[in-house]
Amino acid sequence: MFSSRRRVGFTLIELLVVIAIIAILIGLLLPAVQKVREAAARMSCTNKLKQIGLALHNYHDTNSMLPPGQPQGYYYSGWYGTPGLQDYNRANWAGYILPHVEQTAVHSQLQALLQANTNYTCFGTFSPNVLSTFSCPSDPAAPKVASSGQGFHTSYITCHGSGYATPTADPRGLNLDGIFFGQSKVRLTDITDGTSNTVMVSELLQGSDSIAGGHDIRGRMWNTIHSGTTFTTLYPPNSTVGDNVMGYCGAVPGAPCGSQSVISSFALARSKHTGGVNVARADASVGFISNNIAPNTWLWMGTRSGGEVISLN
Amino acid sequence: MKSICFACLLILLGSLGCNSAEAPAEVSGTVMMDGVLLAEGEIIFEASDNSKTPAAGTIKDGKYLVKVLPGSKKVKVSSSRPASKPDPVMGSAAREHRIGPEFNEKTTLTADIKSGKNEGIDFQVKELAKKK
């Protein structure tokens, strides 16, 4: 009757083998999930960078020039009491391209505040608004809205050149060799090094506000005269050289602080992406720059009309 | 024939694996300002011809430790102190340079870094006079 007796169930060995296979598959998959997540965040950052690049080009199409990096120049010891200096106007290049990234409402509030001339732009009612176009999800601190009343912080910074504002010759940074500097009015035709050889926008890491007597100033969108929303190509991306931003700097992993002096201050391009930063070049093309780029190549990419020959690989 | 192929493979593998980049050297020492240990600051090592990635570290109680790619270096030392004028928006006084440009922006300090450990690479700097 039971000539072909079928076995019901399975042996312990078979069970163990199945469990072992599943364990190996999970072991293969789990570390990859985190990588995929970072890859997605990086893609999102790249996309926002591209949008900012296109917005800058749209602004150029309308106004025949790129927006100023810092409309009044950078802060220095003689900042207050300089005739003709609108010291309440502390917003930067980002304030100009808002209509081109669908933030017309914020833009009109900013303009109303600037015309009223009664308060600093960092204390405007719009300043705590998170503008997601300016926030890169790879940075664990982003989007940062400072509790100290300094408002929203951007993840994207423009390049002011290969140097920095020097105390004696040019304290307000009006003669820097990049595209976005104090009171700059650069046209695309002024970028004689070639728009694809000159870096326009990159990323920063937002610092920690838990420092004595202040707040980290890197990326403050509405109060940027103390530097921190334009970068120099003096040192390569993600350098161990600290950001020498004015006054307050709270170091976080990957974004150390320099001497923090008021004059000759600078920030560097930084990101949490593995091995480098995203950049938008002046032709609005977006690419990845390695931390190990030859320092001179990076230096020369920061100048708009330096006449250097660079080879990008 | 087989053994030759095997040897070739070994050499190939070896050349792949050992094609390592230059290892950074550990540099340490002290920084004195006007004969006293510099309490806080930053030190930067840059290649003299700017051909290698620069490296920096913090100075704490006069001591520093930095990992630097070997070679001939320009060295920049910087530090800051509270400035005399306060800024109404920042809350308190901003900061100003404590050490003159001859030690950072237009540095004259140099060092020759060899591979391996470099101990006792010491520097002397001068404090800037305070503006009145």
Side-chain angles (χ1 to χ4, degrees), chain A residues 190-198 300-308:
Chain A
D190 296 334
I191 306 169
T192 51
D193 279 359
T195 50
S196 59
N197 297 328
T198 307
W300 295 336
M301 277 177 79
T303 61
R304 66 179 184 280
S305 54
E308 312 95 344

Side-chain angles (χ1 to χ4, degrees), chain A residues 75 77-78 80 90 120 122-123 150 164 166-168 213-215 217 220 223 225-226 234-236 239-244 246-248 256-264 266 291-296 299, chain B residues 40-47 49-58 66-67 69 76-98 101 104-106 128 131:
Chain A
Y75 177 85
S77 50
Y80 296 103
R90 295 173 170 229
Y120 297 113
C122 51
F123 298 139
Q150 301 282 340
Y164 44 78
T166 50
T168 46
H215 43 84
I217 68 173
R220 287 185 309 178
N223 185 11
I225 58 162
H226 306 96
L234 185 62
Y235 299 109
S239 176
T240 52
V241 178
D243 291 331
N244 181 18
M246 297 182 192
Y248 297 122
C257 293
S259 68
Q260 308 172 36
S261 63
V262 174
I263 35 187
S264 63
F266 59 83
N291 293 344
N292 298 320
I293 185 172
N296 274 332
L299 190 73
Chain B
E40 258 181 326
E42 190 187 32
I43 186 162
I44 305 173
F45 288 85
E46 280 175 48
D49 55 355
N50 204 20
S51 62
K52 290 174 186 173
T53 307
T58 50
V66 191
K67 283 187 175 159
L69 290 172
K76 297 178 175 178
V77 177
S78 56
S79 180
S80 66
R81 64 189 172 202
S84 48
K85 277 184 191 168
D87 174 8
V89 177
M90 292 290 282
S92 61
R95 300 180 74 84
E96 63 179 20
H97 274 298
R98 199 172 174 192
N104 37 65
E105 275 162 46
K106 297 170 187 125
L128 272 175
K131 278 181 207 155

